[in-house]
């Protein structure tokens, strides 16, 4: 629906004809909009539904608004018809006729006998342009109710029905693996989701506007989207239950293999810790002045829980075995990781010693390749560093300083100028 132009002074014949043409187009747009609103599927649904809450209140107001819109439209139609008849009397209207046409087209010439929404029936007067603006406002508010209700009804009930069907399939699957209300949390959750979906569907059908989220900053009719918060929460809860039940089913199928894997992981963790304890003794014997972390004992608590899992499997308690296996698998991997980190930590001094030995021999080879292997200072510093690194217990800090002194001496020797025979000056 459009908005007519502003009022002005006495119009000439061309201005009158243009105004009548524009107002005729406005009339056609208003009529088309009202007929479309009359035939809108959402309007028909609202008329036939047993409404409650916000939707009932807003639809009662919208119905009165739509009735008033038609009254306004009839008045607009009559006023436009009278103006057209007056214009059609003479091809070249005189000044008095033009003044009257100006008053009809731009003045408050439209009389509407009472009908303000929510007030006593009081007569109203409008310009044609003002009446169009007023109809636009009322039409937008009425259309907003119809469009938003239709959008919610189009979106949510069908989705709720699909989710309810999925819920039914999940309940049957849950019963097949012994997941029932009062016996398993997932069974109680299924009952809760069932009640929520039933209540949600009833409320959506009777009060759809309570499930509408308007778009911020938008004044267009139907601006926004259905509020699917409760539906989404129920869908996520059902998905969580479905995954848990599928996990229970999967446990029934591969529990023996998973138990074997768990035993293997815990065995590897135990062997790694044993290796770390042995390595710690070696480090303490071979490396001096080094802080070596303690090594924990075998994971006895995990072994006890593993025995409990085996009992659950023997007695077909799948719904209890499923979460226990999930937790054990994660904790066993973490235990193996801790064992490996412990081994790495206790053997770190040996790795440092090996790196220093490699660095020392690499510099010696470089020195020999460049013809400085017989330098007395280099021989002395190499022997000192080597003696520290190959003796037990090895003082890593002192050995590292000895290697650095050898590197520095080698760098100074190799950078010194030489004569043609390769001797230093």
């Amino acid at each position: 629906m459009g908005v007519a132009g502003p009022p002005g002074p006495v119009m000439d014949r061309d201005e009158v004809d243009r105004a009548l043409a524009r107002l005729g187009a406005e009339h056609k747009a208003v009529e088309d909009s009202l007929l479309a609103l009359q035939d809108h599927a959402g309007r028909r649904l609202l008329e036939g539904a047993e409404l409650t809450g916000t939707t009932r209140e807003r639809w009662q107001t919208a119905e009165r608004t739509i009735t008033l819109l038609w009254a306004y439209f009839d008045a607009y139609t009559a006023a436009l018809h009278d103006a057209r008849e007056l214009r059609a009397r003479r091809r070249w209207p005189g000044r008095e006729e033009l003044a009257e046409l100006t008053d009809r087209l731009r003045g408050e010439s439209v009389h509407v006998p009472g009908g303000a929404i929510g007030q006593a029936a009081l007569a109203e007067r409008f310009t044609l342009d003002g009446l169009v603006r007023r109809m636009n406002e009322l039409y937008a508010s009425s259309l907003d109710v119809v469009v938003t209700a239709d959008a919610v009804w189009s979106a949510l009930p069908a989705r709720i029905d699909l989710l309810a069907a999925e819920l039914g399939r999940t309940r049957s699957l849950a019963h097949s693996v012994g997941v029932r209300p009062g016996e398993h949390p997932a069974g109680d959750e299924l009952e809760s989701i069932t009640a929520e979906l039933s209540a949600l569907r009833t409320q959506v059908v009777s009060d759809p506007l309570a499930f509408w989220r308007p778009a911020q900053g938008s004044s267009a009719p139907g601006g926004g989207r259905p509020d699917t918060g409760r539906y989404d929460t129920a869908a996520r809860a059902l998905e969580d239950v479905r995954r848990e039940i599928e996990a229970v089913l999967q446990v029934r199928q591969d529990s023996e293999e998973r138990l074997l894997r768990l035993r293997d992981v815990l065995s590897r963790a135990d062997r790694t810790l044993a290796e770390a304890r042995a390595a710690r003794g070696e480090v303490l014997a071979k490396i001096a002045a080094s802080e070596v972390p303690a090594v924990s004992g075998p994971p006895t608590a995990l072994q006890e829980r593993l025995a409990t899992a085996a009992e659950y499997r023997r007695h077909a308690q799948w719904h209890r075995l499923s979460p226990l296996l999930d937790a054990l698998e994660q904790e066993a991997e973490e235990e193996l990781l801790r064992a490996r980190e412990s081994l790495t930590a206790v053997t770190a001094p040996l790795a440092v010693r090996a790196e220093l030995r490699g660095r020392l021999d690499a510099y010696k080879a470089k020195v020999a390749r460049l013809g400085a292997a017989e330098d007395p200072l280099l021989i002395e510093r190499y022997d000192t560093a080597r003696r520290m690194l190959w003796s037990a217990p090895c003082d890593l800090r002192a050995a590292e300083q000895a290697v650095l002194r050898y590197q520095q001496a080698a760098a100074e020797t190799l950078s010194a100028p030489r004569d043609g025979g390769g001797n230093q000056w």
Side-chain angles (χ1 to χ4, degrees):
M1 300 173 77
V3 176
V10 174
M11 297 183 288
D12 59 26
R13 188 189 67 160
D14 291 339
E15 289 175 326
V16 167
D17 289 343
R18 286 195 297 271
L20 286 171
R22 174 174 51 78
L23 291 168
E26 292 281 5
H27 179 273
K28 181 65 168 61
V30 170
E31 183 178 34
D32 290 346
S33 297
L34 288 176
L35 290 174
L37 179 60
Q38 194 76 11
D39 293 336
H40 197 287
R43 183 181 184 276
R44 294 196 296 271
L45 288 172
L46 284 165
E47 286 181 335
E50 294 183 6
L51 302 175
T52 61
T54 301
T55 306
R56 181 179 179 180
E57 295 174 5
R58 291 190 61 189
W59 176 237
Q60 288 175 344
T61 301
E63 281 188 304
R64 294 193 296 269
T65 300
I66 293 171
T67 300
L68 183 59
L69 266 171
W70 281 107
Y72 283 161
F73 178 71
D74 290 342
Y76 182 85
T77 301
L80 182 60
H81 179 266
D82 291 345
R84 283 171 170 170
E85 280 195 339
L86 178 60
R87 173 64 186 89
R89 290 175 188 173
R90 296 176 60 183
R91 182 178 180 184
W92 300 95
R95 180 168 181 77
E96 291 183 3
E97 291 171 318
L98 289 174
E100 184 176 355
L101 282 167
T102 299
D103 182 62
R104 287 176 180 270
L105 297 176
R106 291 184 174 172
E108 292 185 347
S109 60
V110 186
H111 178 266
V112 181
I117 301 172
Q119 301 177 6
L122 301 176
E124 298 177 282
R125 299 191 69 87
F126 295 95
T127 64
L128 285 170
D129 292 346
L131 186 54
V132 169
R133 285 193 294 271
R134 179 61 174 152
M135 286 191 291
N136 279 335
E137 295 169 0
L138 297 179
Y139 173 80
S141 65
S142 302
L143 183 63
D144 183 66
V145 174
V146 171
V147 169
T148 53
D150 186 52
V152 172
W153 279 332
S154 298
L156 276 175
R159 294 174 68 181
I160 293 171
D161 290 343
L162 289 173
L163 190 61
E166 177 64 23
L167 174 62
R169 290 190 291 270
T170 304
R171 285 166 64 93
S172 298
L173 189 62
H175 279 246
S176 71
V177 294
V179 175
R180 296 180 176 85
E183 299 178 7
H184 190 279
D188 297 332
E189 183 66 17
L190 285 173
E191 290 296 302
S192 175
I193 296 170
T194 300
E196 168 64 3
L197 286 183
S198 178
L200 179 61
R201 196 184 195 289
T202 299
Q203 292 169 20
V204 166
V205 170
S206 66
D207 191 9
L209 296 187
F211 295 87
W212 184 256
R213 183 175 297 174
Q216 293 185 352
S218 173
S219 59
R225 62 182 178 83
D227 183 357
T228 61
R230 286 176 60 184
Y231 168 86
D232 294 337
T233 299
R236 287 193 296 269
L238 180 58
E239 178 64 16
D240 290 343
V241 172
R242 187 186 63 78
R243 288 178 179 173
E244 185 171 351
I245 293 170
E246 287 182 350
V248 171
L249 281 171
Q250 191 64 34
V251 165
R252 186 169 65 180
Q253 296 171 3
D254 60 11
S255 58
E256 180 61 25
E257 182 181 349
R258 291 175 70 182
L259 285 169
L260 288 173
R261 284 201 303 268
L262 275 169
R263 292 189 183 98
D264 177 64
V265 171
L266 291 178
S267 176
R268 281 188 285 156
D270 198 7
R271 290 196 301 271
T272 303
L273 287 174
E275 184 180 351
R277 285 191 290 271
R280 186 173 188 271
E282 180 184 357
V283 170
L284 291 175
K286 294 182 176 181
I287 306 296
S290 177
E291 296 180 359
V292 184
V295 179
S296 63
T300 54
L302 288 179
Q303 293 287 358
E304 292 173 359
R305 294 173 67 197
L306 184 60
T308 301
E311 283 294 314
Y312 285 160
R313 182 178 183 278
R314 277 194 293 271
H315 294 90
Q317 294 179 311
W318 310 115
H319 60 285
R320 294 181 178 175
L321 180 58
S322 175
L324 181 56
L325 283 180
D326 291 340
L328 281 173
E329 285 171 342
Q330 179 177 350
E331 293 171 21
E333 290 294 337
E334 291 172 354
E335 183 64 31
L336 179 58
L337 178 61
R338 281 194 294 271
R340 288 170 174 169
E341 289 173 347
S342 180
L343 178 60
T344 300
V346 299
T347 57
L350 294 178
V352 171
R353 187 184 66 173
E355 189 274 332
L356 290 173
R357 286 177 173 181
R359 196 194 314 173
L360 180 66
D361 287 343
Y363 264 86
K364 181 184 179 184
K366 182 177 180 180
V367 167
R369 188 170 61 253
L370 296 177
E374 302 303 323
D375 185 284
L377 179 61
L378 291 180
I379 293 174
E380 178 190 351
R381 292 194 175 181
Y382 173 81
D383 288 342
T384 300
R386 191 179 190 286
R387 186 166 54 254
M388 289 182 178
L389 286 172
W390 268 268
S391 63
C394 172
D395 187 334
L396 284 179
R397 294 186 181 88
E400 182 178 13
Q401 292 300 316
V403 171
L404 286 175
R405 286 194 295 272
Y406 177 71
Q407 290 178 227
Q408 292 168 357
E412 292 171 0
T413 299
L414 296 177
S415 62
R418 298 175 179 275
D419 57 20
N423 299 314
Q424 293 183 1
W425 288 347

